[in-house]
Amino acid sequence: MLYSLSTPFSNFDFPYPTVMSFDHSSPETVLVIEPGERPLWGELSDLLHYRDLLYFLVRREVTVRYKQTFLGVFWAVLQPLATMVVFSIFLGRFARMPSDGIPYPVFAYLGLLPWGYFSGSVQRCSASLVGNANLLSKVYFPRVLIPLSAILAALVDFLIAGVVLIFIMLAYGMVPAASSLLFLPLTAVTAVLALGLGMWLAALNVQYRDIQHATPFLIQIWMFATPIVYPGSIVPERYRLIYELNPMVGVIEGFRSAALGEPLNWSSLAIALASGVVLLIAGFWQFRLMDRTFADLV
Amino acid sequence: MSTPSIRIENLAKRYRVGGPAARPRDVREAFAKLVATPFRRLRALSAEPSSEDETFWALRDLNLEVRPGEVLGVIGKNGAGKSTLLKILSRITPPTRGRVELRGHVASLLEVGTGFHPDLTGRENVYLNGTLLGMRKKAIDRSFDAIVDFAEVERFIDTPVKRYSSGMYVRLAFAVAAHLDPEILLVDEVLAVGDAEFQRKCLGKLDAMAQGGRTVLFVSHNLAAVQKLCETALLLHEGRGVRLGPASDVVRDYLSTREGDGKVARFDTATRRGAGWARITDARLLDESNSPVGAVACDRDLVIELSVETTSPSAQNTLRGLVLELIFCADDGRPVLSLMNVDDAVAELPSSDACHLRVRLAAPTFVPGRYRLKLFLGIPFMQHVDEIDDALSFDILPPESPWRPYELSKSHGVMCRKAEWHCEARTRP
């Protein structure tokens, strides 16, 4: 202190005793800041250190999402349910869309449920960095946590909508097959696909806001290239190979087969998994190329 | 000599002028550039912009070492590179060149309450904010009670923070940061928020951290706080470190070179109200040798010089009969003292079309801190002739000679006066 006097009163204004000790013998952590990319191992160890933050970010997403809404968490159910009803009326009943021998509403819901998770994740993910601009410009933390928390938070909606699936199936006199346990790995594949794509879009969205206009559009087109409201079996055999290059084909058909206890199409699932891993690596790469400059661009 | 906590070598940061705008931001712009100047576009696309005029160096070749336990203040004008330096040290933005070594756990506080969400409760925000600042959940669990205690919000800890008063909000946010317990603390202008009592508490906490051997880097516009808190200070000017030394010396240097702000304020373009047939043209704060300064110590006379003139030179319009009022306001805009020329019988404005006035307020004046001067010229009960809200800002510095055993802080009021005291010994009846 600059002008404290050596009287017994000099501490009067500071009722905070110097209780903190500084342990010079503790192992030193040296942080080096240099231009260019950070070493990968440094980033991974940071991720580990900030794992609690991931939990609280997800919790914030989940808590805030339906705050001050009248229907609350029922929104998570309403969206796939209402879509299912509309499609069942117009496509199932009026257009007599085939549904591989199961009631059309069940068929449609089984597609809409995982698709809702995928599209919701990708959209929330791609908007996540721009939406958290204030964090990016004020504090350091591994940026990957932002898109990652968006993906994980969307899982809660998926879970709630999944419970409704059971009731819909029961209402049509069907019981979910034991192979429904495959929902777990299938959800993981979906999450990997969404995260890979989402990270890529989120990073680009920081510099080019075109992404936020393009994403809903992309998702909409993608939905019709995926067997959600129609069965994959109506696609002619000669186009099947190209069709299955869409990784969501394997995923959606996988969910449906798992719930109904039918054999899975492993080749299309392998495509989904492989493209998921490729997307994840590519997305992470793109993200890493840009993540140090987010604060300057956002 | 121990190893420095912070070692900065040739640190430089370049921004493209106007941020990334120099790069084509959309297809239309890219196309326009392509047609207009094909070579420019090629250059803009390459990672290294080759022409200097498209870029701006926020920091240029800064070298600095900060010892463990040192409290370093960083001062300088807006745009001098203070925030850039802090953002690089906080790892928010990468440097363009150079190297920084930080020894020990770093916590940076560029804003109070980063990540606070209005819909979350106090408790939830403490955890979110704490983990954002790099704390582990266990560490927050341990200091949770202390945080709530420090913030004085026990009763409202499970209430969404949007129902908090702004004071409670800021207290809670700072409390989290105060319990980070890092070895190196980087602080930006966070103390500009909150009331005087709270600011005192924050400064006290920072001081306690420094006493405990923490290294603190403190960026501030509040020169009185820098002088109070820091032993040494660094003055940045246009991205370069121009002076490093004892805080009081560096602050004095800075004030004597600072232009515009605090020295001579001219009001050619100022926002003003009033009839306008007479105007206050400039105002300045003077030191003992009558040269304009930006700050005076609180135990020195405060001298302000003003010029007033009529706008249309005609015989009827003279300054006679006008009242001039100086209103001193604290940093938060609250008026604390009004001086009028009619307070002094001899200070009537002359029957001419221009005049100079000198106002001397005898020491002691105000408690150290930043003050603003508001000026008013008019005919009482009849007409506002000229009124300037933010005419002059200046700093009141800590006293040059010993004042009293306690510190002068705004929690003890705003005015500094000395009273006559009488004390008689008696026997208890």
Side-chain angles (χ1 to χ4, degrees), chain B residues 3 14 57 69 72 98 125 210 289 338 343 356 364 373 380 419-420:
Chain B
T3 343
R14 178 183 53 205
W57 289 92
L72 178 80
N125 272 313
S289 57
S338 148
D343 297 342
H356 278 291
L373 185 63
E420 244 173 70

Side-chain angles (χ1 to χ4, degrees), chain B residues 276-425:
Chain B
W277 58 266
R279 288 186 153 190
I280 306 160
T281 53
D282 64 71
R284 64 193 83 195
L285 181 69
L286 300 180
D287 69 359
E288 276 153 4
S289 57
N290 289 332
S291 45
V293 287
V296 284
C298 72
D299 56 349
R300 292 280 175 264
D301 290 356
L302 188 69
V303 182
I304 286 171
E305 202 174 57
L306 303 131
S307 305
V308 181
E309 60 181 42
T310 57
T311 45
S312 53
S314 76
Q316 308 102 312
N317 281 357
T318 74
L319 299 171
R320 199 177 165 81
L322 284 175
V323 166
L324 181 69
E325 187 183 16
L326 278 63
I327 302 168
F328 293 87
C329 302
D331 209 12
D332 56 9
R334 184 167 41 108
V336 290
L337 176 71
S338 148
L339 301 175
M340 273 197 197
N341 65 321
V342 292
D343 297 342
D344 190 342
V346 298
E348 199 176 348
L349 298 192
S351 315
S352 65
D353 52 16
C355 75
H356 278 291
L357 292 114
R358 187 173 288 190
V359 188
R360 176 181 297 269
L361 179 65
T365 55
F366 301 104
V367 165
R370 194 152 179 81
Y371 292 85
R372 288 188 261 172
L373 185 63
K374 193 170 159 177
L375 297 172
F376 172 83
L377 188 68
I379 306 168
F381 309 112
M382 287 181 63
Q383 196 178 32
H384 289 218
V385 177
D386 195 19
E387 209 177 332
I388 305 170
D389 274 344
D390 230 333
L392 190 68
S393 333
F394 57 90
D395 287 281
I396 294 290
L397 300 176
E400 285 175 8
S401 39
W403 176 263
R404 41 162 120 155
Y406 312 130
E407 216 180 304
L408 284 166
S409 72
K410 282 191 180 168
S411 62
H412 294 174
V414 186
M415 302 299 299
C416 267
R417 308 301 298 166
K418 278 184 174 173
E420 244 173 70
W421 289 69
H422 286 286
C423 182
E424 279 170 46

Side-chain angles (χ1 to χ4, degrees), chain A residues 13 16 29 31 34 52 296, chain B residues 93 99 102 104 137 200-201:
Chain A
D13 239 334
Y16 309 100
T29 44
L31 177 71
E34 278 173 324
D52 293 341
D296 294 340
Chain B
T93 186
R99 177 184 165 91
L102 298 159
K137 181 178 176 296
R200 194 177 68 96
K201 206 169 167 176

Side-chain angles (χ1 to χ4, degrees), chain A residues 58-72:
Chain A
V58 172
R59 226 178 107 162
R60 178 189 70 168
E61 287 275 311
V62 173
T63 321
V64 168
R65 191 161 166 80
Y66 298 114
K67 271 273 164 75
Q68 279 206 5
T69 57
F70 179 66
L71 292 178

Side-chain angles (χ1 to χ4, degrees), chain A residues 13-14 16 18 21-22 29-35 46 49 51-52 67-68 138 140 207 292 295-296, chain B residues 13 23 90-91 93-95 98-100 102 104 119 134 136-137 162 183 200-201 204 211-212 214 407:
Chain A
D13 239 334
F14 279 132
Y16 309 100
T18 56
S21 65
F22 186 60
T29 44
V30 181
L31 177 71
V32 177
I33 300 169
E34 278 173 324
D46 263 5
H49 177 82
R51 59 182 183 271
D52 293 341
K67 271 273 164 75
Q68 279 206 5
K138 291 294 180 194
Y140 168 80
Q207 188 163 6
R292 291 192 85 188
D296 294 340
Chain B
K13 172 77 182 179
R23 203 188 294 185
S90 315
R91 292 198 283 168
T93 186
R99 177 184 165 91
V100 178
L102 298 159
D119 278 323
R136 301 298 311 272
K137 181 178 176 296
K162 65 180 170 190
E183 282 138 15
R200 194 177 68 96
K201 206 169 167 176
Q211 301 286 321
R214 267 67 181 156
E407 216 180 304

Side-chain angles (χ1 to χ4, degrees), chain B residues 16 31 66-67 72 82 121 138 163 170 234 244 260 276 311 345 400 408:
Chain B
R16 286 167 203 271
F31 188 71
V66 187
R67 297 183 318 273
L72 178 80
K82 303 187 299 284
T121 67
K138 273 184 195 150
R163 311 240 180 276
V170 171
L234 170 73
L244 177 71
T311 45
E400 285 175 8
L408 284 166

Side-chain angles (χ1 to χ4, degrees), chain B residues 127 135-147 179 181:
Chain B
Y127 279 98
M135 280 168 108
R136 301 298 311 272
K137 181 178 176 296
K138 273 184 195 150
I140 305 174
D141 287 338
R142 271 199 302 275
S143 36
F144 189 80
D145 291 338
I147 290 172
H179 290 81
D181 206 21

